[in-house]
Structure formats: C-alpha cells, structure tokens
C-alpha cells in the first residue's frame, strides 16, 4: 500500500515539473499573442472644392499709381527740345464688371468684361523758354477691358487667380503755356489707345451668392505721338501711359 502511494507521489511530481518547464520555455522564447487584422481602416475624407461655376456681376473700387511717363518735346520742323519732366499717373477709380466661370475640379476659368472710370491723372509744370510756364497733363478717363481669369480653389470658399486681358483707354492729353508778355496758349490731343492688363487676385465667399475680391493689376497702353500747336509753333511728344492698380470688389453670383 505504501509502495502504491509512493509511486503516485512520484508521478504527480513529474507532471508538475514538466508543466513548469513548458511555461518557462514559453516565456524565455518571448511568446507574443497573434495580431488579428479586423479589416477596418479609417476612411479618407475628400474636401470638396466648392461651387464657383456660373455667371456673376460686381463692383470695384481702386487706387492707381504710376511708374512715370517721361515728357520730351520735338519741335516741328526742328529738333529735340529736351526732356521736360515726368508724369506719374495716380488716383481713385471705380468700376462695374460681369463675367462667367467654368470649373474643372479645383480649376476655375472664364472671361470678364469690365468698365472703369475715375481720376487717374497727373500734371507736370516747368519753366519754358519764353519766361513763362508750361503745364502738361494726362488723364485716363475710362478703361474698357476684356479679361480672362484662371484660378485655383485653395479652400471651398477661397479662390486665387491670375488675370490677363486686353483694354482700351480713353485718354485726355493737354498742354497749356504762358509767356513773358502775359499770353496764354493751350491745345489738346485727346486719344483712345489699346493696351494690355496683367494681374493677380484672391476671392473669398461670404455666402453662396456673395463674395469679396482683392486684386493687383498692371495696365500698359503703349506709346502714342501727340502733337500740339501753341502760338503758331508745333511740337510733339510721346505719351506712354501705364499704371498699377489696387482694387477691392464685391461680386454677386446669379
């Protein structure tokens, strides 16, 4: 009976030893439970580009400032009389515009027709050879422009764009002079001149129908010979009007 009990104790001890050895081996091997792939991934959310296509109309308010237009007269017949000085066109302006846009994903493009008027002008005064003074004035009275705007939707309510267009300006050009005898003479050589416009802009939606704009533009109307006759003497100069224009605007979509 005692022998049987001893054998049972030996068997139990052996089994416990085997179990402990297996546990130690598993821990020594760095056992890591298996990772189960649930198959669920976070969704990728695409931010919408916003709706910019369609027609619109708007108003603008701007201020122009010029780089400088040199005035130099050439007597007819005769020779060059020298440079009198420089006109720097500047002044406030306001405008109306109407346009249409198409949209392809985040790209937006379309034409815009605009009309602007105001006081973009300057007057140059200098002493002349007759012991008097001469005033030369230039004024851009109005501009009719056809622009093409191409932009990219940075945010659903924010558009940045470039501007390129053709423009035609109505320009007033005038010379007035006095002499030592108290005489006063003046002549005008007003004209219309075509040119180009380049610029950059940004537009921010206030709601689905209304947006505000901020723009920078450079307008250049080339070179034109203007001829004047004062006190039976004729002379000409080259008019080269150009200016920069900073504009704020309000658009209404329809």
């Amino acid at each position: 009976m005692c022998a049987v009990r001893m054998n049972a104790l030996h068997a139990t001890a052996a089994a416990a030893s085997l179990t402990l050895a297996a546990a130690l081996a598993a821990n020594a091997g760095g056992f890591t439970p298996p990772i189960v792939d649930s198959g669920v991934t976070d969704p990728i959310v695409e931010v919408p580009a916003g709706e910019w296509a369609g027609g619109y109309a708007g108003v603008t308010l701007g201020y122009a400032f010029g780089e400088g237009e040199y005035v130099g007269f050439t007597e007819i017949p005769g020779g060059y009389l020298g440079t009198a000085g420089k006109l720097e066109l500047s002044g406030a302006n306001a405008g109306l515009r109407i346009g249409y846009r198409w949209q392809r994903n985040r790209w937006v493009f379309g034409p815009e027709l605009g009309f602007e008027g105001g006081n973009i002008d300057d007057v140059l005064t200098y002493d002349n050879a007759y012991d008097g003074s001469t005033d030369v004035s230039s004024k851009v009275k109005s501009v009719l422009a056809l622009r093409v705007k191409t932009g990219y939707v940075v945010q659903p309510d924010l558009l940045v764009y470039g501007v390129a267009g053709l423009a035609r300006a109505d320009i007033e050009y005038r010379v007035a002079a006095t002499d030592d005898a108290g005489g006063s003479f003046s002549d005008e050589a007003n004209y219309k001149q075509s040119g180009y416009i380049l610029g950059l802009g940004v537009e921010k939606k206030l709601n689905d129908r209304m947006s505000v704009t901020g723009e920078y533009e450079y307008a250049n109307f080339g070179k034109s010979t203007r001829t004047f006759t004062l006190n039976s003497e004729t002379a000409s100069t080259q008019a080269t009007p150009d200016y920069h224009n900073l504009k704020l605007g309000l658009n209404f979509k329809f």
Side-chain angles (χ1 to χ4, degrees), residues 63-66 87-93 118-122 138-139 242-244:
Y63 187 83
F65 53 97
L87 289 166
E88 296 183 354
L89 302 180
S90 63
N93 55 94
N119 293 310
I120 305 175
D121 59 5
D122 193 23
S138 178
K139 177 180 179 180
D242 67 332
Y243 57 86
H244 306 272

Side-chain angles (χ1 to χ4, degrees), residues 140-156:
V140 179
K141 298 169 62 178
S142 63
V143 175
L144 179 65
L146 178 61
R147 300 172 174 87
V148 175
K149 295 185 173 181
T150 303
Y152 186 80
V153 180
V154 178
Q155 298 176 2

Side-chain angles (χ1 to χ4, degrees), residues 55-59 95-100 110-115 145-147 251-252 254:
Y56 65 93
V59 294
L96 300 173
R97 60 189 176 190
I98 185 170
Y100 192 90
E112 179 184 282
L113 182 65
F115 178 83
L146 178 61
R147 300 172 174 87
N251 282 347
F252 303 90
F254 54 81

Side-chain angles (χ1 to χ4, degrees), residues 90-179:
S90 63
N93 55 94
L96 300 173
R97 60 189 176 190
I98 185 170
Y100 192 90
R101 295 187 280 219
W102 293 272
Q103 183 170 352
R104 296 293 182 269
N105 298 320
R106 290 183 176 270
W107 290 100
V108 179
F109 53 92
E112 179 184 282
L113 182 65
F115 178 83
E116 297 165 3
N119 293 310
I120 305 175
D121 59 5
D122 193 23
V123 178
L124 168 65
T125 301
Y126 63 95
D127 295 332
N128 59 34
Y130 304 100
D131 295 327
S133 65
T134 299
D135 293 338
V136 181
S137 63
S138 178
K139 177 180 179 180
V140 179
K141 298 169 62 178
S142 63
V143 175
L144 179 65
L146 178 61
R147 300 172 174 87
V148 175
K149 295 185 173 181
T150 303
Y152 186 80
V153 180
V154 178
Q155 298 176 2
D157 62 347
L158 185 64
L159 176 71
V160 295
Y161 55 88
V163 180
L166 299 176
R168 189 163 181 83
D170 186 1
I171 303 171
E172 182 181 276
Y173 208 102
R174 186 173 184 270
V175 174
T178 60
D179 59 19

Side-chain angles (χ1 to χ4, degrees), residues 181-241:
S184 179
F185 315 93
S186 65
D187 194 13
E188 294 183 352
N190 303 335
Y191 65 107
K192 297 181 185 294
Q193 183 77 3
S194 298
Y196 65 87
I197 291 176
L198 299 174
L200 297 170
V202 60
E203 185 168 353
K204 170 75 172 179
K205 283 187 177 183
L206 300 178
N207 53 49
D208 290 340
R209 294 288 183 182
M210 189 179 301
S211 59
V212 292
T213 63
E215 295 178 339
Y216 159 78
E217 289 186 344
Y218 171 69
N220 188 304
F221 295 97
K223 181 184 294 185
S224 177
T225 301
R226 314 316 303 155
T227 301
F228 303 91
T229 300
L230 299 178
N231 195 21
S232 301
E233 295 184 1
T234 301
S236 66
T237 184
Q238 297 286 338
T240 58

